[in-house]
Amino acid sequence: MEGTIFDIKHFAVHDGPGIRQTIFLNGCPLNCWWCHNPESQSKNIESFIKVNKLDGKEFKKEVSVGYKITTEELFKIIQGDQIFFEESSGGVTFSGGEPLMQANFLYDILKVCKENIINTCVDTTGFASEETIQKIAEIADCFLFDIKLIDNELHQKYTGISVDEILRNLQWLDKSNKNVILRFPVIPGITDAVKNISEIKSFIKSLKNINQIDLLPYHNISNGKYSRFNKENKMKNTEPLSDVDMLQLKSEFESIGFKVGIDG
Ligand code: SF4
């Protein structure tokens, strides 16, 4: 099978257990205001005019985001890091974008990894049909599952889609006792609102088997990308939360019995 990916990160330490290789698949059905990879949201290989500035002059260059790769080609790259996976109890993480958007390709590569006893994680928004999530859950070892906003209107506003399907899929994974680590992007002024934190805490408290959440601090490192790729940046004046605020949030989630990490 053939899929489209736009990046591969070797020796990743924040994308699941142990040392990991993270593979970024093109395409995302969401359009989050704070997206770090806005150039990869299309499932197709897109070309952009990248604008670089030097000494007050603008230099424009056409760049493509993403390339086609077969399951066999990708697996060879994964295998190159297998020794590090074995030594660190790590593995490979499929991220994006939203990897479930290329569900058949994802299933195919997950199957080859399983046959070769390589641990796999799927880093997902959870936005997919029930059939898709259930099919991938048959074969993936772990999900890194984003939880952003519980209020549907706010979710629609800041990501462009409804939260209902996402929460339903999360409840199904929990009920089916799948291995899930939640991930909460802490976006100042949006997801860190007192009401949202309280709603997330009460939603995740109702889960029976999931008990781990990683807090992902907002960074404004992507500001340059928005201007380079000529995309509107709605977060350009937003500053990251302080370490003290992140630690305060960590204790809030620990107080409901969750194991909490701060990543990135
Ligand atoms: S889910 Fe992730 S990749 Fe998709 S738009 Fe949001 S931040 Fe970007």
Side-chain angles (χ1 to χ4, degrees), residues 28-32 34-37 40-41 96-98 125 146 148:
C28 185
L30 280 68
N31 185 11
C32 306
W34 54 86
C35 185
H36 282 180
N37 296 315
S40 70
Q41 287 169 0
E98 169 49 72
T125 65
D146 270 17
K148 302 176 175 79

Side-chain angles (χ1 to χ4, degrees), residues 49 59 68:
I49 302 295
F59 296 90
K68 298 269 182 206

Side-chain angles (χ1 to χ4, degrees), residues 103 117 252 263:
I117 322 177
E252 277 211 41
D263 268 347

Side-chain angles (χ1 to χ4, degrees), residues 4-17:
T4 311
I5 67 172
F6 66 93
D7 203 3
I8 297 179
K9 184 164 74 179
H10 298 269
F11 311 114
V13 290
H14 293 296
D15 296 332

